[in-house]
Amino acid sequence: MASKRNRRGYVMLVVISVSVLMITLLSLLANLSLRRGLEAADAERTLQQRWGAMTLERTLLSQAPKLFETREELAAEQDPSQPAEPFLRAAITLRGVTFDVLLGDEDAKLNLNALYHQAGEVDTARAAMEMIGPGAGRALRLLPAMQPMAMDQGSIIENDDDEDQDEDQEIGLPAAFRSWGEVFDLPTLAETSGGSAVLPNLTTGMTCWGNGQLNFRRASDEAILAVAGTVVQDGGAQRLLTRYRSSPTATLAVLLQSEVASQRERDALARLLSETSSNFSMWLDASTGGRRSLRRFTVQFRDAEGDMRYSRFVD
């Protein structure tokens, strides 16, 4: 009798052990299945973000010239004396992913490379500080990759004495600042202002890309004064700006002829200023459910041969 009870107890222990093992295995399988499901969802979300980013980049950058032209026309109708901002903001949702987009006209921003080679590091730092304000100024740290070019006014342009040179030829501009990491101390920026997330807002008025010529029709007063001030005295730069704001339809050639006495200075300013833009950029933040998981910065520019090229930075 006792033997039968022992056998039944043994069988019960085996059944319990097998049941515990099955429950454990089922739990592991459930966790594995859940993990695989989450990984699949993350992979799908990542794919949607990358696909959306590529689509928006291709579409918006190709349309950037027209978008900014339209923006400029609307601003001229409302108040001809005030330039349109050199950027456009938008928030677009595609299949559950929200893309915050900041489209920029790089030629309407103060070009730090051009200013550095024309005026040196001290004036470049001063102009950048005016653009970003004292708060973020603690993180400003210029780390140029090269010494400024030794030049007199206007010698940034190659073939300066060639009378047949195309007036629209781009500046042969060496990149002393190749990324924002050579302009800002990013760890300090993270401590004081929230890190690289603030870069889109900090850099709406200045750039490290483009051909170095400032589109004065879309540029801010600060950018125009900084560029013109490298050639003419501050009073002359201010007179040029005041005349332009009072006569916004005047061409660059007319403004220079009437406000700048020296032919040499007129030539230098004609090479540093322009009335068109050919370089554009796009900041993009992609988020799902309030979580940002993709940030990229793309610059579209024309090289010396006139071909369209891109520089991309992914955070």
Side-chain angles (χ1 to χ4, degrees), residues 17-253:
S17 298
V18 172
S19 298
V20 170
L21 179 60
M22 292 298 295
I23 291 172
T24 302
L25 289 175
L26 288 174
S27 177
L28 290 174
L29 287 173
N31 287 334
L32 180 61
S33 177
L34 177 60
R35 190 158 56 247
R36 291 288 185 268
L38 291 175
E39 290 174 353
D42 286 341
E44 181 182 7
R45 181 168 55 249
T46 299
L47 180 62
Q48 289 177 351
Q49 290 175 339
R50 291 178 178 175
W51 170 83
M54 291 176 60
T55 301
L56 288 172
E57 176 186 295
R58 187 182 306 114
T59 302
L60 292 180
L61 285 177
S62 66
Q63 295 298 315
K66 183 61 178 177
L67 291 172
F68 280 102
E69 286 174 11
T70 302
R71 174 76 170 275
E72 183 179 354
E73 292 171 359
L74 292 175
E77 292 176 1
Q78 296 172 358
D79 187 353
S81 65
Q82 294 299 319
E85 294 177 325
F87 58 87
L88 294 167
R89 296 182 186 271
I92 303 167
T93 300
L94 300 173
R95 300 189 64 181
V97 181
T98 298
F99 298 91
D100 291 308
V101 176
L102 183 65
L103 197 65
D105 180 346
E106 297 302 284
D107 292 333
K109 302 177 183 180
L110 178 64
N111 190 300
L112 298 184
N113 284 312
L115 186 62
Y116 173 76
H117 287 300
Q118 187 78 6
E121 185 172 344
V122 173
D123 285 346
T124 302
R126 183 184 300 113
M129 184 71 74
E130 292 178 359
M131 287 289 176
I132 63 177
R138 292 174 53 192
L140 186 68
R141 179 202 58 180
L142 301 184
L143 294 176
M146 61 187 300
Q147 293 295 317
M149 295 172 61
M151 65 182 70
D152 56 6
Q153 305 291 0
S155 62
I156 257 183
I157 303 295
E158 297 178 343
N159 300 325
D160 190 25
D161 296 327
D162 186 355
E163 295 180 357
D164 296 327
Q165 182 181 3
D166 186 346
E167 293 180 356
D168 294 328
Q169 180 178 347
E170 296 187 349
I171 294 177
L173 186 67
F177 306 105
R178 299 161 296 184
S179 71
W180 291 122
E182 294 179 341
V183 176
F184 295 101
D185 180 355
L186 296 182
T188 300
L189 192 64
E191 294 175 3
T192 59
S193 304
S196 60
V198 303
L199 279 176
N201 292 326
L202 283 182
T203 58
T204 54
M206 61 186 188
T207 182
C208 296
W209 295 269
N211 59 21
Q213 291 180 293
L214 179 70
N215 182 349
F216 80 104
R217 294 202 175 280
R218 299 178 187 170
S220 66
D221 290 1
E222 294 80 6
I224 293 175
L225 290 174
V227 172
T230 66
V231 178
V232 295
Q233 297 298 319
D234 291 343
Q238 185 62 59
R239 285 195 303 273
L240 181 66
L241 175 62
T242 301
R243 170 65 191 280
Y244 171 58
R245 293 298 182 219
S246 64
S247 306
T249 59
T251 65
L252 177 60

Side-chain angles (χ1 to χ4, degrees), residues 244-264:
Y244 171 58
R245 293 298 182 219
S246 64
S247 306
T249 59
T251 65
L252 177 60
V254 169
L255 290 171
L256 295 180
Q257 189 66 39
S258 63
E259 300 302 322
V260 181
S262 166
Q263 182 63 47
R264 182 180 179 81

